[in-house]
Amino acid sequence: MNAPAFNDTMQLLNGNHAVAWGVRLATPDVAPLYPITPQTPILEKLIDFQSSNLFDAELLTPESEHSAMAAAIAASATGARVFTATSSQGLLLMHELLHFAAGARTPIVMFNVNRTPASPWGFWPDQIDSLSQRDTGWIQLYSECPQDSLDTVIQAFRIAEAVNLPVMVNHDAFYVSHSVEPVSLPSKESVANYLPRTKRDIQLGDGSNRSLGAPIDQASWNLTRREMAKAMAQVETATEQAGRDWSDMTGRLTAPLEYYRAEDAEILFVTMGSMCGTARQAVDRLRENGVAAGLLKVRLFRPLPIETLRDALAGVPCAIVLDRNYSPGMGGVLHQELQAALFGVQNPPRLHGLLAGVGGVNVSVEDIEKLAHDYRNAAQSMQPIWVD
Protein backbone atom coordinates (compact mmCIF):
# COMPACT_ATOMS: atom_id res chain seq x y z
CA MET A 1 0.00 0.00 0.00
CA ASN A 2 1.14 3.56 -0.62
CA ALA A 3 2.02 5.66 2.42
CA PRO A 4 -0.88 7.88 3.49
CA ALA A 5 -0.60 11.40 2.11
CA PHE A 6 -2.83 13.16 4.63
CA ASN A 7 -3.00 12.02 8.23
CA ASP A 8 -5.60 13.10 10.70
CA THR A 9 -4.22 10.58 13.16
CA MET A 10 -1.94 7.57 12.94
CA GLN A 11 -2.19 4.56 15.25
CA LEU A 12 -0.55 1.17 15.50
CA LEU A 13 -3.45 -1.20 14.85
CA ASN A 14 -3.85 -4.82 13.98
CA GLY A 15 -6.06 -5.69 11.04
CA ASN A 16 -9.14 -6.53 13.11
CA HIS A 17 -8.92 -3.34 15.17
CA ALA A 18 -8.48 -1.36 11.95
CA VAL A 19 -11.78 -2.88 10.79
CA ALA A 20 -13.45 -1.90 14.06
CA TRP A 21 -12.17 1.66 13.64
CA GLY A 22 -13.59 1.76 10.13
CA VAL A 23 -16.95 0.50 11.37
CA ARG A 24 -17.00 3.09 14.15
CA LEU A 25 -16.36 5.85 11.61
CA ALA A 26 -19.04 4.49 9.25
CA THR A 27 -21.64 4.79 12.05
CA PRO A 28 -23.91 1.80 11.40
CA ASP A 29 -27.27 1.76 13.17
CA VAL A 30 -27.26 -1.95 14.00
CA ALA A 31 -24.40 -4.46 14.43
CA PRO A 32 -25.35 -8.08 15.18
CA LEU A 33 -22.19 -10.12 15.86
CA TYR A 34 -21.27 -13.55 17.15
CA PRO A 35 -17.65 -14.18 18.22
CA ILE A 36 -15.44 -16.67 16.39
CA THR A 37 -11.67 -17.02 16.12
CA PRO A 38 -9.98 -15.03 14.60
CA GLN A 39 -12.76 -12.45 14.08
CA THR A 40 -13.48 -11.93 17.80
CA PRO A 41 -11.19 -8.87 18.25
CA ILE A 42 -13.50 -6.94 15.89
CA LEU A 43 -16.44 -7.55 18.24
CA GLU A 44 -14.32 -6.90 21.34
CA LYS A 45 -13.07 -3.57 20.00
CA LEU A 46 -16.59 -2.46 19.05
CA ILE A 47 -17.76 -3.31 22.58
CA ASP A 48 -14.81 -1.31 23.91
CA PHE A 49 -15.86 1.65 21.76
CA GLN A 50 -19.46 1.36 22.90
CA SER A 51 -18.42 1.17 26.55
CA SER A 52 -16.61 4.48 26.05
CA ASN A 53 -19.64 6.05 24.34
CA LEU A 54 -17.76 6.15 21.04
CA PHE A 55 -19.95 3.69 19.11
CA ASP A 56 -23.66 4.34 19.09
CA ALA A 57 -24.96 1.33 17.13
CA GLU A 58 -27.48 -1.18 18.49
CA LEU A 59 -24.91 -3.92 19.23
CA LEU A 60 -26.58 -7.34 19.29
CA THR A 61 -24.89 -10.59 20.38
CA PRO A 62 -27.30 -13.40 19.40
CA GLU A 63 -26.73 -17.12 19.95
CA SER A 64 -25.18 -17.94 16.55
CA GLU A 65 -23.96 -16.52 13.24
CA HIS A 66 -27.20 -17.71 11.62
CA SER A 67 -29.16 -15.53 14.03
CA ALA A 68 -26.72 -12.65 13.56
CA MET A 69 -27.37 -12.63 9.83
CA ALA A 70 -31.13 -12.96 10.37
CA ALA A 71 -31.03 -9.87 12.58
CA ALA A 72 -28.86 -8.06 10.05
CA ILE A 73 -31.34 -8.74 7.24
CA ALA A 74 -34.34 -7.61 9.27
CA ALA A 75 -32.63 -4.40 10.37
CA SER A 76 -31.27 -3.58 6.91
CA ALA A 77 -34.65 -4.19 5.27
CA THR A 78 -36.11 -1.34 7.33
CA GLY A 79 -33.46 1.09 6.06
CA ALA A 80 -30.89 0.78 8.87
CA ARG A 81 -27.17 0.82 8.11
CA VAL A 82 -25.95 -2.62 9.25
CA PHE A 83 -22.57 -4.24 9.93
CA THR A 84 -21.66 -7.76 10.96
CA ALA A 85 -18.51 -9.90 10.96
CA THR A 86 -17.61 -13.57 10.98
CA SER A 87 -15.08 -16.19 9.88
CA SER A 88 -14.89 -19.69 8.43
CA GLN A 89 -17.48 -22.00 10.07
CA GLY A 90 -19.49 -18.95 11.11
CA LEU A 91 -19.74 -17.82 7.51
CA LEU A 92 -20.70 -21.33 6.44
CA LEU A 93 -23.44 -21.38 9.09
CA MET A 94 -24.77 -18.17 7.53
CA HIS A 95 -24.85 -19.67 4.03
CA GLU A 96 -28.63 -20.11 3.82
CA LEU A 97 -29.22 -16.51 4.83
CA LEU A 98 -26.55 -15.06 2.55
CA HIS A 99 -28.89 -15.89 -0.35
CA PHE A 100 -31.75 -14.30 1.52
CA ALA A 101 -29.82 -11.09 2.20
CA ALA A 102 -28.78 -10.69 -1.43
CA GLY A 103 -32.21 -11.60 -2.78
CA ALA A 104 -33.85 -9.08 -0.45
CA ARG A 105 -31.34 -6.48 -1.74
CA THR A 106 -30.18 -5.52 1.75
CA PRO A 107 -26.94 -3.44 1.66
CA ILE A 108 -25.36 -5.15 4.68
CA VAL A 109 -21.59 -4.87 5.12
CA MET A 110 -19.95 -7.98 6.56
CA PHE A 111 -16.29 -8.46 7.36
CA ASN A 112 -15.06 -12.03 7.03
CA VAL A 113 -11.67 -13.10 8.37
CA ASN A 114 -10.55 -15.81 5.95
CA ARG A 115 -9.85 -19.03 7.87
CA THR A 116 -9.60 -22.72 6.99
CA PRO A 117 -12.93 -24.59 7.31
CA ALA A 118 -13.21 -27.99 9.00
CA SER A 119 -12.39 -30.73 8.81
CA PRO A 120 -9.70 -31.15 10.02
CA TRP A 121 -9.97 -28.26 12.40
CA GLY A 122 -7.71 -25.32 11.60
CA PHE A 123 -7.31 -21.64 12.30
CA TRP A 124 -5.06 -20.52 9.48
CA PRO A 125 -5.51 -18.15 6.54
CA ASP A 126 -7.27 -19.67 3.54
CA GLN A 127 -9.83 -18.02 1.29
CA ILE A 128 -12.05 -21.01 0.47
CA ASP A 129 -14.58 -20.02 3.16
CA SER A 130 -15.55 -16.82 1.32
CA LEU A 131 -14.83 -18.03 -2.22
CA SER A 132 -17.27 -20.92 -1.71
CA GLN A 133 -19.97 -18.24 -1.20
CA ARG A 134 -19.30 -16.64 -4.58
CA ASP A 135 -22.72 -17.53 -6.01
CA THR A 136 -24.82 -16.15 -3.16
CA GLY A 137 -25.16 -12.67 -4.68
CA TRP A 138 -22.76 -10.88 -2.33
CA ILE A 139 -20.16 -8.46 -3.61
CA GLN A 140 -16.72 -9.65 -2.49
CA LEU A 141 -13.68 -7.46 -1.81
CA TYR A 142 -10.26 -8.65 -0.57
CA SER A 143 -7.91 -6.62 1.61
CA GLU A 144 -4.12 -6.84 1.78
CA CYS A 145 -3.19 -5.17 5.08
CA PRO A 146 -4.69 -3.31 8.10
CA GLN A 147 -4.77 0.07 6.30
CA ASP A 148 -6.45 -1.57 3.32
CA SER A 149 -9.00 -3.18 5.65
CA LEU A 150 -9.96 0.13 7.28
CA ASP A 151 -10.23 1.88 3.92
CA THR A 152 -12.18 -0.96 2.33
CA VAL A 153 -14.75 -1.48 5.08
CA ILE A 154 -15.74 2.20 4.89
CA GLN A 155 -15.88 2.10 1.10
CA ALA A 156 -17.98 -1.07 1.31
CA PHE A 157 -20.87 0.87 2.89
CA ARG A 158 -20.69 3.35 0.00
CA ILE A 159 -20.74 0.57 -2.60
CA ALA A 160 -23.47 -1.48 -0.89
CA GLU A 161 -25.81 1.48 -0.53
CA ALA A 162 -25.17 2.60 -4.13
CA VAL A 163 -26.31 -0.68 -5.67
CA ASN A 164 -28.53 -2.18 -2.93
CA LEU A 165 -26.49 -5.33 -2.57
CA PRO A 166 -24.63 -6.76 0.45
CA VAL A 167 -20.83 -6.55 0.52
CA MET A 168 -18.43 -9.04 2.08
CA VAL A 169 -14.93 -7.70 2.79
CA ASN A 170 -12.23 -10.27 3.51
CA HIS A 171 -8.76 -10.32 4.98
CA ASP A 172 -6.46 -13.21 5.86
CA ALA A 173 -6.49 -14.69 9.35
CA PHE A 174 -3.49 -13.72 11.49
CA TYR A 175 -1.35 -12.54 8.54
CA VAL A 176 -3.62 -9.46 8.49
CA SER A 177 -6.15 -9.85 11.32
CA HIS A 178 -3.49 -9.93 14.05
CA SER A 179 -0.61 -8.10 12.34
CA VAL A 180 0.11 -4.63 13.72
CA GLU A 181 0.96 -1.78 11.38
CA PRO A 182 0.68 2.02 11.40
CA VAL A 183 -2.83 2.90 10.21
CA SER A 184 -3.98 6.36 9.20
CA LEU A 185 -7.42 7.25 10.60
CA PRO A 186 -9.57 9.73 8.72
CA SER A 187 -11.65 12.14 10.74
CA LYS A 188 -15.23 11.40 11.74
CA GLU A 189 -16.38 14.48 9.80
CA SER A 190 -14.64 13.47 6.57
CA VAL A 191 -16.14 9.96 6.69
CA ALA A 192 -19.59 11.44 7.39
CA ASN A 193 -19.23 13.51 4.21
CA TYR A 194 -18.03 10.45 2.31
CA LEU A 195 -20.94 8.32 3.57
CA PRO A 196 -24.00 10.58 3.58
CA ARG A 197 -27.30 9.11 4.70
CA THR A 198 -29.52 8.73 1.66
CA LYS A 199 -33.01 7.36 1.18
CA ARG A 200 -32.85 3.86 -0.25
CA ASP A 201 -34.92 2.76 -3.21
CA ILE A 202 -35.50 -0.70 -1.74
CA GLN A 203 -36.68 -0.92 1.87
CA LEU A 204 -39.74 -1.73 3.93
CA GLY A 205 -41.89 0.97 5.44
CA ASP A 206 -45.21 2.73 5.32
CA GLY A 207 -46.28 3.25 1.72
CA SER A 208 -43.39 1.24 0.24
CA ASN A 209 -45.77 -1.41 -1.14
CA ARG A 210 -43.07 -4.03 -0.53
CA SER A 211 -42.89 -7.31 1.33
CA LEU A 212 -39.99 -9.33 2.67
CA GLY A 213 -39.62 -12.98 1.76
CA ALA A 214 -43.16 -13.56 0.50
CA PRO A 215 -43.76 -16.46 -1.95
CA ILE A 216 -43.84 -15.38 -5.60
CA ASP A 217 -44.39 -17.10 -8.94
CA GLN A 218 -41.67 -18.32 -11.28
CA ALA A 219 -41.63 -15.30 -13.56
CA SER A 220 -41.40 -12.89 -10.66
CA TRP A 221 -38.51 -14.84 -9.11
CA ASN A 222 -36.78 -14.84 -12.49
CA LEU A 223 -37.22 -11.06 -12.59
CA THR A 224 -35.50 -10.66 -9.21
CA ARG A 225 -32.36 -12.29 -10.63
CA ARG A 226 -32.43 -10.08 -13.71
CA GLU A 227 -32.67 -7.05 -11.44
CA MET A 228 -29.80 -8.40 -9.34
CA ALA A 229 -27.75 -8.82 -12.52
CA LYS A 230 -28.37 -5.16 -13.40
CA ALA A 231 -27.20 -4.14 -9.94
CA MET A 232 -24.10 -6.36 -10.20
CA ALA A 233 -23.27 -4.69 -13.53
CA GLN A 234 -23.00 -1.35 -11.67
CA VAL A 235 -20.62 -2.61 -8.99
CA GLU A 236 -17.30 -2.14 -10.79
CA THR A 237 -18.15 1.49 -11.60
CA ALA A 238 -19.39 2.08 -8.06
CA THR A 239 -16.16 0.60 -6.66
CA GLU A 240 -14.03 2.79 -8.96
CA GLN A 241 -15.95 5.90 -7.91
CA ALA A 242 -15.71 4.98 -4.21
CA GLY A 243 -11.94 4.58 -4.65
CA ARG A 244 -11.49 7.90 -6.48
CA ASP A 245 -13.48 9.83 -3.87
CA TRP A 246 -11.54 8.09 -1.12
CA SER A 247 -8.29 9.10 -2.81
CA ASP A 248 -9.42 12.73 -2.98
CA MET A 249 -10.07 12.60 0.77
CA THR A 250 -7.10 10.56 2.03
CA GLY A 251 -4.51 10.40 -0.75
CA ARG A 252 -4.82 6.61 -0.87
CA LEU A 253 -6.06 5.33 -4.22
CA THR A 254 -7.93 2.04 -4.35
CA ALA A 255 -9.46 0.32 -7.37
CA PRO A 256 -11.17 -2.95 -8.34
CA LEU A 257 -7.84 -4.10 -9.83
CA GLU A 258 -4.54 -2.63 -8.69
CA TYR A 259 -1.25 -2.80 -10.56
CA TYR A 260 2.36 -2.76 -9.42
CA ARG A 261 5.21 -2.39 -11.94
CA ALA A 262 2.93 -4.13 -14.44
CA GLU A 263 3.16 -1.78 -17.44
CA ASP A 264 5.92 -3.74 -19.23
CA ALA A 265 5.78 -6.99 -17.30
CA GLU A 266 6.75 -10.21 -19.03
CA ILE A 267 5.67 -12.16 -15.95
CA LEU A 268 2.57 -10.97 -14.11
CA PHE A 269 1.64 -12.40 -10.72
CA VAL A 270 -2.11 -12.40 -10.10
CA THR A 271 -3.36 -12.89 -6.55
CA MET A 272 -5.56 -11.56 -3.71
CA GLY A 273 -5.22 -10.66 -0.03
CA SER A 274 -2.00 -10.65 1.99
CA MET A 275 -0.15 -12.60 -0.71
CA CYS A 276 -0.01 -9.33 -2.66
CA GLY A 277 2.45 -7.82 -0.19
CA THR A 278 4.82 -10.77 -0.51
CA ALA A 279 4.48 -10.80 -4.29
CA ARG A 280 5.24 -7.06 -4.41
CA GLN A 281 8.57 -7.64 -2.68
CA ALA A 282 9.35 -10.52 -5.04
CA VAL A 283 8.62 -8.26 -8.02
CA ASP A 284 11.14 -5.71 -6.72
CA ARG A 285 13.84 -8.37 -6.33
CA LEU A 286 13.15 -9.83 -9.75
CA ARG A 287 13.33 -6.36 -11.33
CA GLU A 288 16.68 -5.76 -9.60
CA ASN A 289 17.93 -8.93 -11.30
CA GLY A 290 16.68 -7.97 -14.74
CA VAL A 291 13.41 -9.94 -14.79
CA ALA A 292 10.45 -7.82 -15.93
CA ALA A 293 7.93 -8.94 -13.32
CA GLY A 294 4.75 -7.23 -12.16
CA LEU A 295 1.73 -7.71 -9.90
CA LEU A 296 -1.99 -7.58 -10.59
CA LYS A 297 -3.91 -7.40 -7.31
CA VAL A 298 -7.53 -8.54 -7.58
CA ARG A 299 -9.37 -6.48 -4.97
CA LEU A 300 -12.90 -6.92 -6.39
CA PHE A 301 -13.58 -10.63 -6.86
CA ARG A 302 -17.40 -10.59 -7.20
CA PRO A 303 -18.47 -9.38 -9.58
CA LEU A 304 -15.23 -10.20 -11.36
CA PRO A 305 -14.22 -7.22 -13.56
CA ILE A 306 -13.83 -9.41 -16.63
CA GLU A 307 -13.25 -6.83 -19.36
CA THR A 308 -10.74 -4.94 -17.21
CA LEU A 309 -8.93 -8.20 -16.49
CA ARG A 310 -8.80 -9.06 -20.19
CA ASP A 311 -7.31 -5.63 -20.91
CA ALA A 312 -4.81 -5.99 -18.05
CA LEU A 313 -3.57 -9.35 -19.33
CA ALA A 314 -3.48 -8.38 -23.02
CA GLY A 315 0.04 -8.73 -24.38
CA VAL A 316 1.45 -10.28 -21.19
CA PRO A 317 3.46 -13.39 -22.15
CA CYS A 318 3.14 -15.20 -18.81
CA ALA A 319 0.69 -14.86 -15.90
CA ILE A 320 1.16 -16.79 -12.66
CA VAL A 321 -1.95 -17.10 -10.46
CA LEU A 322 -1.21 -17.62 -6.76
CA ASP A 323 -4.28 -19.17 -5.10
CA ARG A 324 -4.48 -19.45 -1.30
CA ASN A 325 -7.48 -21.75 -1.66
CA TYR A 326 -8.34 -25.13 -3.18
CA SER A 327 -11.63 -26.13 -4.78
CA PRO A 328 -11.50 -29.96 -4.62
CA GLY A 329 -11.58 -31.47 -8.08
CA MET A 330 -10.86 -28.18 -9.85
CA GLY A 331 -7.95 -26.37 -8.24
CA GLY A 332 -7.52 -22.71 -7.39
CA VAL A 333 -10.68 -20.62 -7.64
CA LEU A 334 -9.02 -17.48 -8.99
CA HIS A 335 -7.23 -19.59 -11.61
CA GLN A 336 -10.58 -21.00 -12.75
CA GLU A 337 -12.08 -17.53 -12.93
CA LEU A 338 -9.21 -16.22 -15.05
CA GLN A 339 -9.36 -19.20 -17.40
CA ALA A 340 -13.02 -18.38 -18.03
CA ALA A 341 -12.39 -14.63 -18.33
CA LEU A 342 -9.68 -15.17 -20.96
CA PHE A 343 -11.78 -17.52 -23.11
CA GLY A 344 -11.71 -16.31 -26.70
CA VAL A 345 -8.92 -13.75 -26.18
CA GLN A 346 -6.41 -13.55 -29.04
CA ASN A 347 -2.90 -14.57 -27.91
CA PRO A 348 -3.73 -14.95 -24.21
CA PRO A 349 -0.89 -15.24 -21.69
CA ARG A 350 0.44 -18.63 -20.68
CA LEU A 351 -1.61 -18.99 -17.51
CA HIS A 352 -0.18 -21.01 -14.64
CA GLY A 353 -2.45 -21.87 -11.72
CA LEU A 354 -0.37 -22.42 -8.59
CA LEU A 355 -1.85 -23.57 -5.28
CA ALA A 356 0.39 -21.51 -3.02
CA GLY A 357 -0.18 -21.20 0.71
CA VAL A 358 -3.31 -23.38 0.92
CA GLY A 359 -4.16 -23.93 4.57
CA GLY A 360 -2.05 -20.97 5.66
CA VAL A 361 1.32 -22.43 4.66
CA ASN A 362 3.83 -19.58 4.48
CA VAL A 363 4.89 -18.48 1.00
CA SER A 364 8.09 -16.46 1.17
CA VAL A 365 9.46 -13.80 -1.14
CA GLU A 366 12.14 -16.30 -2.17
CA ASP A 367 9.45 -18.88 -3.00
CA ILE A 368 7.72 -16.46 -5.36
CA GLU A 369 11.02 -15.47 -6.98
CA LYS A 370 11.70 -19.15 -7.66
CA LEU A 371 8.23 -19.61 -9.16
CA ALA A 372 8.98 -16.82 -11.64
CA HIS A 373 12.14 -18.59 -12.78
CA ASP A 374 10.44 -22.01 -12.89
CA TYR A 375 7.40 -20.94 -14.94
CA ARG A 376 8.44 -17.91 -17.04
CA ASN A 377 9.17 -20.14 -20.05
CA ALA A 378 7.14 -23.21 -19.09
CA ALA A 379 4.29 -24.49 -21.24
CA GLN A 380 0.82 -23.76 -19.91
CA SER A 381 -0.95 -26.51 -18.02
CA MET A 382 -4.72 -26.56 -17.58
CA GLN A 383 -4.26 -28.44 -14.31
CA PRO A 384 -3.50 -26.71 -11.01
CA ILE A 385 -0.02 -27.16 -9.61
CA TRP A 386 0.69 -27.61 -5.90
CA VAL A 387 3.56 -25.51 -4.66
CA ASP A 388 5.80 -27.28 -2.17
Side-chain angles (χ1 to χ4, degrees), residues 85-320:
T86 190
S87 179
S88 185
Q89 300 299 131
L91 179 62
L92 304 184
L93 186 58
M94 288 178 175
H95 174 76
E96 174 195 8
L97 291 173
L98 297 186
H99 287 278
F100 203 107
R105 304 293 300 277
T106 52
I108 299 163
V109 171
M110 173 165 62
F111 209 99
N112 177 62
V113 182
N114 285 128
R115 192 196 98 186
T116 47
S119 78
W121 207 248
F123 297 97
W124 311 113
D126 190 293
Q127 295 160 342
I128 199 62
D129 58 348
S130 55
L131 292 174
S132 64
Q133 310 304 315
R134 61 183 173 176
D135 300 326
T136 58
W138 283 63
I139 299 164
Q140 288 197 20
L141 292 159
Y142 286 80
S143 162
E144 176 184 345
C145 63
Q147 182 71 68
D148 200 9
S149 295
L150 179 141
D151 293 346
T152 304
V153 75
I154 295 173
Q155 293 175 33
F157 285 98
R158 175 83 166 265
I159 298 164
E161 292 169 10
V163 299
N164 277 299
L165 284 172
V167 177
M168 181 191 307
V169 187
N170 303 273
H171 67 198
D172 287 339
F174 301 108
Y175 289 165
V176 181
S177 67
H178 287 61
S179 294
V180 177
E181 293 182 0
V183 175
S184 177
L185 301 174
S187 68
K188 180 179 178 181
E189 293 73 21
S190 62
V191 175
N193 289 331
Y194 180 82
L195 283 178
R197 298 280 179 165
T198 56
K199 180 174 173 53
R200 295 198 338 230
D201 294 333
I202 303 174
Q203 69 176 69
L204 298 179
D206 291 343
S208 69
N209 196 29
R210 290 183 176 276
S211 63
L212 179 65
I216 57 177
D217 62 24
Q218 299 94 320
S220 298
W221 198 94
N222 183 293
L223 179 60
T224 67
R225 266 42 193 175
R226 292 170 186 255
E227 291 174 342
M228 189 184 293
K230 289 180 182 177
M232 277 286 179
Q234 301 171 12
V235 172
E236 184 178 355
T237 299
T239 306
E240 290 172 346
Q241 186 63 52
R244 282 194 295 270
D245 292 346
W246 189 254
S247 175
D248 291 343
M249 189 177 83
T250 66
R252 295 186 296 276
L253 179 63
T254 59
L257 301 177
E258 296 179 0
Y259 308 89
Y260 181 70
R261 306 186 78 168
E263 60 281 355
D264 61 344
E266 297 177 359
I267 303 172
L268 194 64
F269 293 103
V270 186
T271 191
M272 304 192 297
S274 63
M275 189 83 76
C276 295
T278 313
R280 192 175 285 108
Q281 291 187 49
V283 165
D284 286 343
R285 289 199 191 180
L286 288 162
R287 288 275 180 174
E288 289 170 4
N289 292 303
V291 178
L295 169 66
L296 173 57
K297 169 181 170 179
V298 178
R299 184 165 170 268
L300 175 63
F301 173 77
R302 254 316 172 265
L304 193 69
I306 292 175
E307 291 302 325
T308 312
L309 271 171
R310 290 162 71 102
D311 290 342
L313 292 169
V316 176
C318 174
I320 298 176

Side-chain angles (χ1 to χ4, degrees), residues 38-60:
Q39 169 271 116
T40 304
I42 297 176
L43 171 58
E44 291 173 335
K45 192 63 177 174
L46 290 176
I47 292 173
D48 181 31
F49 286 147
Q50 191 170 65
S51 300
S52 304
N53 295 319
L54 297 170
F55 184 59
D56 194 31
E58 184 74 23
L59 192 57
L60 308 174

Side-chain angles (χ1 to χ4, degrees), residues 266-269 286 291 317-322 349-356 367-381 383-388:
E266 297 177 359
I267 303 172
L268 194 64
F269 293 103
L286 288 162
V291 178
C318 174
I320 298 176
V321 184
L322 303 174
R350 297 188 308 281
L351 193 64
H352 302 285
L354 304 185
L355 298 166
D367 291 335
I368 296 178
E369 281 185 272
K370 183 176 184 302
L371 294 175
H373 293 298
D374 289 348
Y375 289 97
R376 61 188 298 190
N377 296 314
Q380 174 173 307
S381 170
Q383 300 302 316
I385 301 164
W386 286 92
V387 174
D388 294 329

